[in-house]
Structures are given as C-alpha cells and as structure tokens.
Amino acid sequence: MISRISLYLIVAALIVTGLSIAWLRHEHMGIPFLPGAQTPVWLVEARIDFTATGGPVTVSLDIPDSPPGFALFSEQTASPGYGFSILENNGNRRGEWSVRAVSGAQTLYYKAQVIPGQGAGSEAPASAPSIASVHWDESEALAARQILETARAMSSTPESMTRELIKLLATPTPGQNAALLLSSTPLIPLLEKLLNYAQIPSRVVMGLQLEDGRRNQQLIPMLEIFTRDRWVFFNPRTAQQGIPEDFLLWSQDSLSLLDVSGGHGSQVRFAMMRQSISAVQLARLTMDDSGFSFFGVHKLPVEEQSMLKMLLLLPLGALVVVFMRIMVGVQTSGTFMPILIALSFLQTTLLPGLISFIAIVAIGLLLRSYLSYLNLLLVARIATIVVIVIFIIIFSSLFGYQLGFNTGMTVAFFPIIIIAWTIERMSILWEDEGPREVLMQGGGSLLVAILAFLLMQWPLMEHLSFHFPEINLILVALILMMGNYTGYKLLELRRFRAMRLKWRP
C-alpha cells in the first residue's frame, strides 16, 4: 500500500512538473503549443526624399526604441552608397545616413518590423521632467487663466483636468477665450502650453495609425502628460485616454523628426503593411538568455537539433509499446524492436519502409534456414546474418535506383544488427513453436511499429516533444501508471467468450 501511494505521488509530481515547465516556457519564450501558429507583425517603412547639393550629406531620422504596446522585431535600411549607423543618446535613437559627395534627387528607406501586444513600453524616468516655461501676452494670459480655472473646477486629477481642457478647446464651437488662444496657436501646441502653464508636465508625441496597405502617411501628433511617475497618453481631438492598440508611437521626445545636412526639399513619408510570421521562428529570434532558453535545444547547431529531434520521439514509441504489451497484450519480437522500426519508417515513409522491412526479414529467414544445416556457433551465425542483411540492403538500393525509385536508398536507415537478431530469434521461434507464433510476434511488432510511427509523425506530438522536452515527464508518469497495472489484458478477455455465450439473461 505504501509503495502504491509513493507511486501515485511520483506520478502526480511528474505530471505537475511537466505541465508547469511547459506553461512557463510558453509564457517566457512565446513558443506556441500548437504547430503552425502565426504571429501578426507590422512592417513600417519610412521613405526619405530630398535633393542633394553635391557635397557631403548627413541625414538623421528619429526612429522608435521601445514603443508602448509593441516590440521591435527587426530593422533594416535600403540606402545604396550611404553609410548607416544607429546612434543612441539618453534613450533616444536616431538613424544616421552619411555619404562623402552626392548630388540630385535622393531616396532613403528605413524599415522596421514591430510585434503588437508584446512591448512593455518605455521605462519611467528616474526623475520628474522639467516643466517648460510659457510666455503669453496680457490678453492671452488672462484667457489662459480663465480656461484653466474652468477646467480645474470640473476636475480632480491631472488626467481629468486634461480631458476637460481638450473638451473646451476641441469643440466645434469654442468659447471666446478658447477662440482667442486658438487664433494664434494650433490646438495641440496650445494644449501643451496650457498644461505646462498649469504646472503639469506635458509633451507632444508623434505616431502612426496602423492600417494595412496604407501609403504616403504622415506622423500624427498626440499629447502626453506626466503624472504619478509615468506618462499618460491622450488623443487631443477626442480626449480619449490611453494608447490605442493600433497606434504606434514613433517619436516620444521634443527633437526633430528629420534633419538633413547637405540637401534641401526633404520630406519623410510612411507606409505600412500587416504580415504574419511563424510563432516558433519569432520565439527563436527573440530568445533571451533565461533559464528556459538555456535548457532548450534551439541554440544547438542544426545537425545536433536534428539528432535530438529524433531522440525526443523515442518516449512516444516507448509509451505505445508499453500500452500495447501491458494493456492490450500484443506480442512483439523483442521488447523495443517496434520503436526502432518506427524510427526507420520516419525516414523511409510507411509503405516503402514496410515493404522493405518485410522483404529483408523474409529473405533473411530463408537464408537463415539454410545456415541451420551448417551447425555454426551462435556468434558466427549472427555475424553471417549481419553480412547477408547488408548485401540485401545494398541490392535493394541498387535495384531501386535502376528502376528510378529513391525508396531503396532509404532502407539503410533500418537497424542492421537488430534486424539480424530479429531474423535469428524468428528462426529459432519457427523451429520451436512453428510458423504461427512467428507470424503472431512478427505481425505484432509491425502493428506496434505502425501505431508508434503514426503517433511520432503526428505534427502536434512532434512539435510538443521538440519544443517542450519536459512533456516527456508526463509520458514517464503514464508509463509508470501502466507499469503498475495487474489486471487482464484486452486480448486475454477472449478466454471468457464461452462463459458469455452460455450465460444469457
């Protein structure tokens, strides 16, 4: 009883551990549980046009760093003849193109791929930003104070006061004071000045409204205020608070968007397109140095990954073998011979591999029956069978090649030594038990091998076993549970058919 309780505890621990590690790997690395999952990605292109004057040219473009709600996946440029570098200064990133001498119309491209819903946003500044000084003339100062008093009376926090200011200024029919201020200052710069005048740090930010297939777009100015140690985003036209999911903040500082030295007539336009990439590929490319990536197989060389991908399928074959032998009662030639046959089927595909295996074993059994008349010792007999099997494989490969089939070339994936032992065991079994037992065990081995092959080639199991190796802990738990089964096997129930026929209600 104590041993059974210990077994149940071990099984539960293995299942919980396997599921927990798999879920944490999914959350931290972004590897999907289902194969073929796709992740949406936005491709945003900035096109810079200007006319060079014939001398040295330097072009500087403000580029995104950590836009809230997005993660920067990749970036590249298309600028033949130009040198390009990304310069960082106090969290601000700018792309800089340079060339010694160029003249005429010039076009430069900067492309960035961003992933929605994965960015954590910009970090909070270490200290509160300074409030910009504001200067008004006498009449504007009086109008500004009256508007701020009205907004302050209808609000209780910096956020609510900002919303009320927007409502007062963005209305189609502004009041007398709002109309006076708007006559000399556009809406968004006016909101920034009013908020700074009210001792609320504010700034104008620039972004893009993402929409698939749009071209020749310009950055849209928006408003942010600083409160409670963070920047709060506002739409200065609708007073909506918070960054929309489809809005990409491109510039979050007061620096210029584009600077061109050595040219004139510069402009920058934006185009965007929605794409999809494999979620597994994305997880590999964005993999960090966490413990989950350290214990993953994705950083290994491709050759070693291919080998481990095959090895990680073995527990699935073992599970099928244990279930078919313990629960169903199928007899096999050798305990785990079906697993090796199933692995061979993964290389040869099922039908060609099945035909090749049956042909090799059949020819080997015929030749083995002749060797029994020579009274050879066991070691010499097995060695002879190994050589015979090798010649059979070579002949099958050459024969298939001459006929124009490449299936014969894949027969070499069969485990030669194991096949030799199988031929020897079946030959002895033929002599001791007769051909019926040989067919039972041989057919059972092929049945189990086919079922293991079907499970191992299932895309879902292949995906889970490779990308979530801890799933094998759950397979071990299932094998332990079946190993503790002491009831009747499914095929043994045939012995009770007579009782069922005699007893009729």
Side-chain angles (χ1 to χ4, degrees), residues 91-151:
N92 177 60
R93 299 172 73 243
R94 297 188 72 87
E96 185 176 282
W97 293 264
S98 59
V99 66
R100 176 62 61 182
V102 68
S103 61
Q106 304 292 309
T107 301
L108 307 177
Y109 292 93
Y110 168 81
K111 299 179 181 180
Q113 284 183 308
V114 293
I115 309 167
Q118 295 199 13
S122 56
E123 297 181 357
S127 59
S130 58
I131 299 176
S133 59
V134 180
H135 301 283
W136 309 93
D137 59 27
E138 185 175 352
S139 60
E140 289 178 340
L142 178 60
R145 285 194 295 268
Q146 291 181 355
I147 291 177
L148 289 175
E149 289 176 1
T150 303

Side-chain angles (χ1 to χ4, degrees), residues 9-23 473-474 477:
L9 291 177
I10 293 174
V11 168
L14 289 173
I15 294 176
V16 171
T17 302
L19 292 176
S20 301
I21 297 177
W23 178 256
L473 296 177
I474 302 177

